[in-house]
Every structure is written in structure tokens, then in C-alpha cells.
Amino acid sequence: MPMPPKLSEFELINIFFEGLGPQSKDVCIGIGDDCAVINVPSGQSLCLSMDTMVEGVHFLPGAPARKIARRALAAAMSDLAAMGAEPSHFTLSLTLPESNYQWLSEFSQGLKLLAEQFHFPLVGGDTTKGPLTIALQVHGFTKKGQTLTRSGAQDGDVVAVTGTLGDAGAALAILSQVNAEKCPEAQSYLLERYYAPTPRIKQGLELRALANACIDISDGLLADAEHIAEKSALAVEIDLDCLPLSDALLSEQGDKAIAFALSGGDDYELLFTMSEVNWQQLVKLDEERIYTKIGQVKKGQGVVVKQGAMNSSSGKLIAELITTKGYKHFE
Amino acid sequence: MPMPPKLSEFELINIFFEGLGPQSKDVCIGIGDDCAVINVPSGQSLCLSMDTMVEGVHFLPGAPARKIARRALAAAMSDLAAMGAEPSHFTLSLTLPESNYQWLSEFSQGLKLLAEQFHFPLVGGDTTKGPLTIALQVHGFTKKGQTLTRSGAQDGDVVAVTGTLGDAGAALAILSQVNAEKCPEAQSYLLERYYAPTPRIKQGLELRALANACIDISDGLLADAEHIAEKSALAVEIDLDCLPLSDALLSEQGDKAIAFALSGGDDYELLFTMSEVNWQQLVKLDEERIYTKIGQVKKGQGVVVKQGAMNSSSGKLIAELITTKGYKHFE
């Protein structure tokens, strides 16, 4: 198809966004009227979360459109996973400097990948002229009263995560240094983890009946563990020796891998707490070995980082993080 | 309170956005978790619409924070009004270059004005660093199957609008010329109409049981009438002599007033169609005289602009607008 030199807003929406993702019986009206109209199934609550990414702040200028679209949607969906919600539909506010046909085509394909995989239609939004900014609102359904929150952790709970930690943070370090097209295998793996995080929707649904508290790790393990600690009015103890690290991260960063796992953001893995009994049940079903126990909920406040705590009564105290404003103690 | 030099994202949300607007029984979880969680009342559908405004594109650089906040929310709410929806809650993605305390305080007050007036709580969103961009998603409820759309116009329907047309367009012309602080009364009125449009929520609810089609006028009367014509596969005939014009617009723009009423955007009034019988019923209840009949739905396509059509069998043909891409004929 020849590239139209300049698309109107209506043409742009028609070509790239209308009908993006599969049809859903819950969507009465999609793109094309003043509002989208949705029916929430009986007995379900609606979960919603908005996420914004700005060029030059959340991704590098000139980053590939398909990758940033996929990443932005995955990051937003991660909030649905953290609540144990089933994705239902999403909206997009796309601000862009010009209506570049090729860029838009790749951008919409990036969204489409996840939209089709998760039966997650685009139902509305806005397109405007301005500095490249992507705001997505994702919506999902949970059974009424069965939503996972940050505030439900119980004293004695196991603390666990999905996947591996620190990969995306290490990818960002790579992106700021080298040409991403020419990097060895480990770097490619980390970059893939950065650009194409897996929304842990399946795990969120699995955890819904078992976990007491859950959050997605977007700001880094310590910062997000702090949110659970604060909202649950308890302490989250993390054992450094137990953090799940990818081979790629270890080979790229060596001793620094732990620091990326603790503080690197953008992993979009889930951090959750549950009773020991439920944990045993979860582990039995975990054929992919996606879940790793990394600590315990205890009386107190903030995040306590230890070494060897799992294998002895106390372990060596490494740090106590009381608020997200800073470390109280680090040695 | 002394101004903190720089606010973190968490502080900023706590101070300016948490608890903005009244509490609602339908909001199970508001700001502070991975998602907001909403219960949609039984028998109701959820309407949602996203609207984005960018500094330098949708409002002038340096425009007062309180005014742009109020205007952005009113403009977004106008889409709920056009569907006949009752506002339930909204989300905000705010991208801003720096966390300026005074600016944020005024911005949140601008949102609060409408949030309190319409019992419309802010339940979530995102704040990011970048060029000033305001994306709002508004949500509302309608009875299942009773949503007003653009596609329901019937041959023979009365075409009507709320309020007066062209004021906001004329205000924009003023804003690009003079110091807004020093303008005569008529200009002040027009500027108020631009900065503080009234979301026609009450009228949307009134129209729900009576109108066949409805849209809000954001792009200008002709462009938005075209949407109804296209979606309903009929022609919308508009009589120039019937357009409701404010005294301020007439005194400021004289002969040009009509052009602003036809093509000026940003009025956020409602354009709707209904049977003659329903129109008579609506007019009887219209104590504020907010509704004006401006034309008729006919067989055909596009928008037909006439003069004197209401008082004679045909009237003088002024223009036929077939698509939003341009005028087929204008004399």
C-alpha cells in the first residue's frame, strides 16, 4: 500500500487502531463513538490501571515502535496481574509529533501481539499531536471481594517472586552503552527481557486464591517490597542468597547482579506473600519453576535484607530499608 | 505550608491527588494499589472515554493550571454527557516537566471543582516527567441497552443542540491576540466559555430516554453533525438562521459569528436528534431554555446547510458537506 503523506486523526484511527485485538462479548461499543461501552460480568469487579511512558524518560529516543508498544502494554498489564485480574480491554492515548505511517504500523503491531495473545481488545482512546507519549489504561475483571492487594500480608507469610530479577535494569545499562544491534547472546537476552516483559497474568490468576498480598515489581524489588510492608504494617525480610538471577545477568554483571536484582526496575515480575501451607501447594503445581521463595513476612516495619536467613535462625543483617526515601543502614 | 523544593512521585500523589473528589460506594479501591477496583451497579453498563491535552497544542504555553485542569476534565466529561451516562469516577495521567508545588496545587483545585460538583472521584492514574500533557479517562454508568450513540438518528428527527455555539472558538481567536487579563466584558464571557465549559451531564441524562442520536460538539458543529450523518446513514440538515449565538459572540464577531458557530471547536455542547413528538415534550420541560432546534434529519448523506429552511419548504442551499475531508460546495 502506498504511504499516505499525512493522515488525519480519523484515518489514523481507522487504519491502525480500530478492531485491534479480538472481539469480546463484554464490549458493547468499541472505537467510534463518544465513549466505549462495556458490560462487566455479573459478580465481577472492574480493575483499572493507567501507565504512561514518555520518549527520552521511559524509553530512548528513536527506540523501535513495535518494541516500545509491546513493552508499554506489558508493563500496564502487569498491574492487572498484580491484582489477580483477567484482562478485559484497554484504551490508548497516543501523543506523537507526526503521523508517520511506518512508525504507526509497527506501533500497532506491537500492541496487537499482546492484544491477541491475551484476548485483550483496544476499545478507545485519543490521538494527539505533541511530544511522543504513550498512556495506556488497562482494565480487567476479578471476582467481587477476591482482588489481590498490597495490604493483606500476614506475619509469618512466605515472600516469593515470579521469574528472575534485575534483567531489565541490566538491559538499561547496556542500552545506554552499546549499539543494541551488535551484542552478545547474554545481552540480547537481557534486552529481550527489557523490551518484552511477560505480563504475569496466568500467575496472577493462580495466586488469586492463595496469596495474601501481591504487587508487581516496576520500581525495583526493595521499593516494591516496601509498599507491601507499609500497606500491611509489617516487615518484609528478604534473603540475598535466594534471589532468582538469570544466567545472562550473572554472566554480564557478576557481583553486581544482586544490586540489579534489588534495585533495578522494569522487571514486571510479581512479588507476593502467602501462608507456608499455600506456598507448599503452589510449589507442587509449579512445573515451570516460575516461583521462588525469597524471604518471610515478620513483625516490624520496612524491608530487612539479610544473607543466609533461610538456613539459620537469624542470618547476617545487610540492610534495613524503612521508607522508600532511603536506607537506614547499609554495609 | 513551606514549599518542598522537589516532590517525589509518591509525595505528589499523596498531597494533591489522593482523595480528590467525594468518596463513592462503587469504588472498592482507589489510589494506592496496583489497580483501582470498581463495582459497576447491577443492570448498568460502563461508559469510558479518554481525552488528552498537550501544552502548545490544546492550550497555550503557560496557561493557568486551574483553568486547564477544569477545562480538560469538563471536555472529557462531555463525552459521558453525549452517551447519557452518569459520571462515576476518573483517572489522570499527568506528564509534567517539574513537580512545581504551586502549579500542582492549582491544577488539583481545578479538577476538584468539577469532581465535587458531579460526585466524581479521582481513583487512579500516573504521574511522569516530560512535556506537559494531561490525559484523562472518564467513566460513567448507563442502564444496559440505554446508551445514546451517534448511529440512531431517524429520518424526520428534529436536530437540536444545548447552549450556544461558537463561543469557545471565538475565545481562542481572542487568546491568540490580546492579553486575556485586560479584555472587555464580552471577551471575558467568551474566555470563560472556553476555559470553563459546562459538562452537559444533566442534559445527557434528560435526553437518554428521548433522543435517537447524540454527540458532543468538540470539533465544531459541521464536523460533529457529519459523524451523526455518517453513522446513521442519513443526512443532517442545518438551518443557519436557527443557530443559537450568544450576545457576546455577536458583539465580538458580528457577521463572522455564524462561521464560529459552524466550525469553531471546543464548545462541548450536545448535538442530538429526536422525534418531533419527543422534542415537544422536551421543550415543555426546558425552563432554562437550553435546547434549540437547528434542523432536521433527512434521507441522504452528509451535512446540508440551508438558510430559511425552517420557514419554507426548502430554503436556500448554502453548503453540502459530504465528508469531514472538505466541503463539496460552499458559496
Side-chain angles (χ1 to χ4, degrees):
Chain A
M1 188 192 282
M3 285 190 209
K6 207 168 155 62
L7 298 168
S8 75
E9 184 182 356
F10 301 110
E11 290 168 326
L12 186 161
I13 293 168
N14 280 343
I15 298 173
F16 299 110
F17 297 119
E18 226 173 299
L20 194 152
Q23 290 206 315
S24 158
K25 65 172 174 39
D26 302 318
V27 179
C28 310
I29 298 177
I31 290 172
D33 216 303
D34 289 283
C35 289
V37 182
I38 308 295
N39 282 339
V40 176
S42 164
Q44 306 268 310
S45 293
L46 178 80
C47 296
L48 53 91
S49 174
M50 205 177 209
D51 242 17
T52 306
M53 295 203 175
V54 181
E55 184 176 47
V57 179
H58 302 89
F59 54 89
L60 294 171
R66 188 194 302 244
K67 289 188 177 179
I68 58 171
R70 194 199 178 290
R71 176 165 173 264
L73 189 53
M77 292 176 77
S78 175
D79 285 319
L80 293 177
M83 303 297 279
E86 190 129 25
S88 58
H89 58 282
F90 72 103
T91 52
L92 163 70
S93 160
L94 179 61
T95 303
L96 70 177
E98 49 168 8
S99 57
N100 179 306
Y101 195 92
Q102 187 63 30
W103 191 95
L104 279 160
S105 170
E106 289 178 16
F107 184 85
S108 70
Q109 283 168 42
L111 295 181
K112 209 172 175 183
L113 279 172
L114 288 178
E116 300 206 328
Q117 184 184 343
F118 288 92
H119 305 282
F120 196 46
L122 175 65
V123 300
D126 200 3
T127 53
T128 51
K129 192 177 164 67
L132 183 56
T133 306
I134 303 153
L136 288 158
Q137 183 158 315
V138 294
H139 308 77
F141 301 145
T142 52
K143 256 197 183 161
K144 270 185 193 171
Q146 278 201 13
T147 312
L148 285 171
T149 66
R150 302 174 176 186
S151 58
Q154 302 290 319
D155 183 19
D157 271 3
V158 166
V159 175
V161 294
T162 59
T164 56
L165 303 179
D167 295 335
L172 263 182
I174 295 169
L175 279 172
S176 58
Q177 284 170 2
V178 303
N179 182 340
E181 303 299 325
K182 296 180 185 172
C183 58
E185 201 180 328
Q187 294 194 347
S188 297
Y189 175 85
L190 296 175
L191 290 171
E192 184 67 12
R193 289 273 293 156
Y194 172 77
Y195 274 125
T198 308
R200 298 298 188 190
I201 297 295
K202 185 185 153 203
Q203 288 73 30
L205 294 172
E206 224 164 47
L207 294 175
R208 192 153 63 168
L210 299 172
N212 291 324
C214 190
I215 190 171
D216 76 317
I217 304 176
S218 52
D219 295 333
L221 176 62
L222 291 179
D224 289 311
E226 214 321 277
H227 290 310
I228 288 188
E230 189 200 337
K231 295 270 179 185
S232 301
L234 286 164
V236 172
E237 186 178 286
I238 291 169
D239 188 337
L240 282 190
D241 292 343
C242 300
L243 300 183
L245 308 173
S246 70
D247 292 343
L249 179 66
L250 284 167
S251 83
E252 267 294 300
Q253 293 291 345
D255 289 348
K256 289 189 212 147
I258 287 279
F260 280 103
L262 286 175
S263 304
D266 300 315
D267 277 326
Y268 302 109
E269 298 294 347
L270 299 182
L271 168 69
F272 57 94
T273 84
M274 61 175 59
S275 69
E276 181 66 37
V277 172
N278 286 0
W279 171 250
Q280 292 305 333
Q281 192 182 326
L282 183 69
V283 168
K284 267 188 212 144
L285 300 168
D286 185 18
E287 288 174 9
E288 297 173 63
R289 305 196 49 116
I290 196 139
Y291 300 111
T292 306
K293 179 176 171 176
I294 62 164
Q296 208 174 5
V297 178
K298 299 210 162 170
K299 286 200 174 61
Q301 60 173 323
V303 180
V304 180
V305 183
K306 290 194 173 178
Q307 194 152 28
M310 296 284 198
N311 301 318
S312 73
S313 61
S314 58
K316 181 185 167 199
L317 181 68
I318 303 291
E320 277 183 74
L321 173 70
I322 298 296
T323 76
T324 48
K325 281 172 198 161
Y327 296 93
K328 190 183 162 200
H329 173 81
F330 206 101
E331 53 183 24
Chain B
M1 189 192 282
M3 286 190 207
K6 207 170 156 59
L7 297 168
S8 75
E9 186 183 356
F10 301 110
E11 291 168 327
L12 186 160
I13 293 168
N14 280 344
I15 297 174
F16 299 110
F17 297 120
E18 226 173 298
L20 193 152
Q23 291 207 314
S24 158
K25 65 174 175 37
D26 302 318
V27 179
C28 309
I29 298 177
I31 290 172
D33 216 303
D34 290 283
C35 290
V37 181
I38 308 294
N39 282 339
V40 176
S42 166
Q44 306 269 309
S45 292
L46 179 80
C47 296
L48 53 92
S49 175
M50 204 177 209
D51 241 19
T52 305
M53 295 203 175
V54 181
E55 184 177 46
V57 179
H58 302 89
F59 54 89
L60 294 172
R66 189 193 302 244
K67 289 188 177 179
I68 58 172
R70 195 199 176 290
R71 176 165 172 262
L73 189 53
M77 293 176 77
S78 175
D79 285 319
L80 293 178
M83 304 297 279
E86 189 129 25
S88 58
H89 58 281
F90 72 103
T91 53
L92 162 70
S93 161
L94 179 61
T95 303
L96 70 176
E98 50 169 5
S99 56
N100 180 306
Y101 195 94
Q102 187 63 30
W103 192 94
L104 279 160
S105 170
E106 288 177 16
F107 184 84
S108 69
Q109 283 168 42
L111 295 181
K112 210 172 174 181
L113 279 172
L114 287 178
E116 301 206 328
Q117 185 184 343
F118 288 93
H119 305 282
F120 196 45
L122 175 65
V123 300
D126 200 2
T127 53
T128 51
K129 192 178 162 68
L132 182 56
T133 307
I134 303 153
L136 287 160
Q137 183 157 314
V138 294
H139 307 77
F141 302 143
T142 52
K143 256 196 185 165
K144 271 185 192 171
Q146 279 201 13
T147 312
L148 286 172
T149 66
R150 301 173 177 188
S151 59
Q154 302 291 319
D155 183 19
D157 271 2
V158 166
V159 175
V161 295
T162 58
T164 56
L165 302 179
D167 295 336
L172 263 181
I174 295 168
L175 279 172
S176 59
Q177 285 170 2
V178 302
N179 182 340
E181 303 298 326
K182 296 181 187 173
C183 58
E185 202 181 328
Q187 294 195 348
S188 296
Y189 175 86
L190 296 174
L191 290 171
E192 184 68 12
R193 288 273 293 155
Y194 171 77
Y195 275 125
T198 308
R200 297 299 188 189
I201 297 295
K202 185 185 153 203
Q203 288 73 30
L205 294 172
E206 224 164 47
L207 295 175
R208 192 152 64 168
L210 298 173
N212 290 324
C214 189
I215 190 170
D216 76 316
I217 304 175
S218 52
D219 297 333
L221 174 64
L222 291 179
D224 290 310
E226 197 352 77
H227 290 308
I228 287 187
E230 189 199 338
K231 295 270 178 183
S232 301
L234 286 164
V236 172
E237 186 178 288
I238 291 169
D239 188 335
L240 282 190
D241 292 343
C242 300
L243 300 183
L245 307 173
S246 69
D247 292 342
L249 179 66
L250 284 167
S251 83
E252 267 295 300
Q253 293 291 345
D255 288 349
K256 290 189 211 146
I258 287 280
F260 280 103
L262 286 174
S263 304
D266 299 315
D267 276 326
Y268 302 110
E269 297 295 346
L270 299 182
L271 168 68
F272 58 94
T273 84
M274 62 174 58
S275 69
E276 182 66 37
V277 173
N278 286 0
W279 172 250
Q280 293 305 333
Q281 192 181 327
L282 184 68
V283 169
K284 265 188 214 146
L285 300 167
D286 184 18
E287 287 174 10
E288 296 173 64
R289 306 198 45 119
I290 195 138
Y291 301 111
T292 307
K293 178 174 173 177
I294 63 164
Q296 207 173 7
V297 177
K298 298 209 163 169
K299 286 200 174 61
Q301 59 173 323
V303 180
V304 180
V305 182
K306 289 193 172 177
Q307 194 152 28
M310 296 284 199
N311 302 318
S312 73
S313 60
S314 59
K316 181 184 168 199
L317 181 68
I318 304 291
E320 276 183 75
L321 172 73
I322 297 297
T323 75
T324 49
K325 280 171 198 160
Y327 296 94
K328 191 181 163 200
H329 172 80
F330 206 101
E331 53 184 22

